[in-house]
């Protein structure tokens, strides 16, 4: 299946699921229990008894699992869910200790690469899908997870098609936490103060940024210290100008980064930066800090994935938040095509000394993740089925608006770093970050991309 067809199949299924979840009954996701003991079909009961005794001895052994995650903000719903699930599991399994290494996304990526190179990976970690996961799979750094997916129906809890992003040669190596879309959140009160209407075109959004800036309001926040954030925004411009599949065409060498569409996208990105569209010091501000500016009412707009609405559920401005789709650019593109974000996948190190214990914990974690996230009012855009009434559960109007947007999805693209090889991606991320601090010709930056791609994809 091509990436474009895969994307479309996933979002269609997701739209169907949202229709059910938004008006369903209360959550009925069950907590997994330990599976019953299986008898040996060979009839070797004596051998079985000895094995059971050995297992009982092993069950009493103290085991320390290392768990690396990409949420360093201890107040985020994802971090709170992780903490609850870890605490509940260790309370029920006295012999298991779980040491959590909580980092931001950029720190986690860099640390994991170093650990993989020295064969010192944590037992459980997270890796982005597609092109970012492939080197770990090729290097035999990750354990296949088919067995835990086939246990107790866990596979069937995932949105149809989403696990394909983490599948190589029929083996699944990551269990996705999210299946999100990118939207623009805005503060209705700040828009009113600046007499700004919801922009229907990118050009109007640039002008809105100027008007907001003129009255002392930060137009939009971005955590460009973590360079994926700028790429996420930029690739939505590319999606509007080129339509879905531009990067796939580059990968197949049907197009190049020197394509006029890609050059134009860089110019449009520069327009927003030069209009003062982002906050001062954007390149020194990480994801959490930038997001906090928006949720505390200090910025008018925030471009981010639908997962961010979970953080807003507990903010003082949740009733002032509205949502709009990324607008057309130069009159091109459909607002119903989105940047799509299959989340990081939870993975297990192939070299783990406690692989069975790690798999048992991960099975528990993913079985109960939807229920815990639903209770935390942060189940919008997760990769697993949620049978619950979001309105009755007290989800905000902003969350309900995002859920409604899922029903409008007609396709889109996944992020640059999940599509193009890691070496070219690093050039891409560095080049875009330079746009925030230097004046560089769009054609020159496009050529940097093409040179890197040719060097890494001869």
């Amino acid at each position: 299946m091509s990436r474009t067809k895969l994307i479309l199949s996933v979002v269609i299924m997701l739209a169907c699921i949202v229709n059910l979840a938004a008006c369903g009954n209360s959550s009925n996701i069950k907590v997994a229990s330990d599976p019953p003991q299986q008898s040996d079909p060979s009839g070797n009961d004596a051998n079985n008894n000895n094995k059971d005794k050995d297992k009982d001895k092993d069950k009493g052994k103290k085991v320390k699992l290392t768990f690396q995650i990409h949420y360093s903000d201890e107040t985020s719903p994802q971090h709170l869910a992780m903490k609850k699930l870890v605490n509940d599991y260790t309370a029920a399994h006295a012999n298991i200790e779980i040491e959590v290494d909580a980092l931001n996304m950029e720190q986690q990526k860099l640390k994991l690469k170093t650990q993989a190179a020295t064969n010192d990976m944590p037992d459980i970690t997270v890796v982005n899908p597609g092109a970012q996961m492939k080197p770990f799979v090729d290097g035999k750094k990750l354990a296949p997870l088919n067995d835990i997916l086939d246990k107790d129906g866990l596979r069937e809890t995932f949105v149809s098609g989403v696990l394909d992003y983490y599948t190589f040669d029929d083996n699944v190596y990551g269990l996705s936490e999210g299946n999100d879309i990118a939207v623009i959140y805005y503060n209705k009160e700040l828009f009113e103060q600046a007499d700004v209407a919801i922009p229907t075109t990118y050009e109007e959004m640039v002008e809105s940024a100027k008007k907001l800036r003129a009255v002392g309001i930060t137009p939009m926040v971005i955590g460009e210290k973590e360079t994926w954030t700028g790429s996420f925004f930029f690739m939505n411009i590319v999606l509007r100008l080129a339509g879905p599949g531009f990067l796939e065409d580059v990968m197949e060498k049907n197009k190049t980064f020197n394509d006029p569409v890609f050059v134009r996208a860089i110019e449009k990105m520069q327009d927003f930066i030069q209009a003062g569209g982002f906050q001062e010091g954007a390149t020194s501000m990480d994801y959490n800090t930038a997001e906090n500016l928006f949720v505390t009412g200090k910025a008018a707009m925030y471009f981010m994935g639908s997962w961010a609405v979970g953080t807003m559920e507990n903010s003082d401005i949740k009733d002032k938040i509205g949502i709009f789709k990324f607008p057309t650019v130069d009159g091109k593109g459909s607002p119903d095509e989105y940047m799509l974000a299959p989340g990081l996948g939870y993975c297990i190190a192939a070299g783990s000394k406690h692989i069975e214990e790690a798999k048992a914990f991960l099975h528990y974690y993913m079985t109960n993740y939807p229920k815990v996230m639903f209770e935390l009012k942060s189940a919008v855009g997760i990769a697993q089925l949620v049978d619950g009434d979001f309105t009755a559960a007290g989800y905000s109007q902003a969350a309900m608006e995002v859920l409604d947007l899922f029903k409008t999805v007609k396709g889109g693209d996944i992020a640059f770093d999940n599509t193009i090889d890691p070496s070219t991606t690093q050039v891409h991320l560095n080049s875009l970050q330079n746009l925030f601090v230097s004046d560089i010709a769009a054609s020159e930056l496009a050529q940097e991309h093409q040179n890197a791609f040719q060097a890494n994809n001869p």
Side-chain angles (χ1 to χ4, degrees), residues 303-315:
F303 173 80
M304 193 43 63
S306 48
W307 65 80
V309 78
T311 301
M312 298 171 199
E313 289 292 282
N314 298 315
S315 74

Side-chain angles (χ1 to χ4, degrees), residues 233-263:
F233 182 92
F234 171 75
M235 287 309 300
N236 216 139
I237 302 174
V238 174
L239 176 61
R240 290 290 174 268
L241 291 172
F246 177 80
L247 292 181
E248 193 171 335
D249 284 339
V250 171
M251 287 294 294
E252 294 173 357
K253 301 187 178 179
N254 294 324
K255 290 183 178 178
T256 74
F257 286 113
N258 291 320
D259 190 286
V261 166
F262 194 77
V263 175

Side-chain angles (χ1 to χ4, degrees), residues 397-440:
Q397 182 59 37
M400 300 309 294
E401 286 183 35
V402 174
L403 280 172
D404 284 340
L405 287 185
F406 275 103
K407 303 172 189 176
T408 72
V409 178
K410 291 183 170 60
D413 272 332
I414 62 173
F416 191 105
D417 54 0
N418 292 335
T419 308
I420 303 294
D421 67 273
S423 296
T424 303
T425 290
Q426 195 57 55
V427 171
H428 162 75
L429 296 173
N430 293 342
S431 296
L432 281 186
Q433 190 181 56
N434 285 338
L435 286 182
F436 286 79
V437 295
S438 62
D439 188 12
I440 180 172

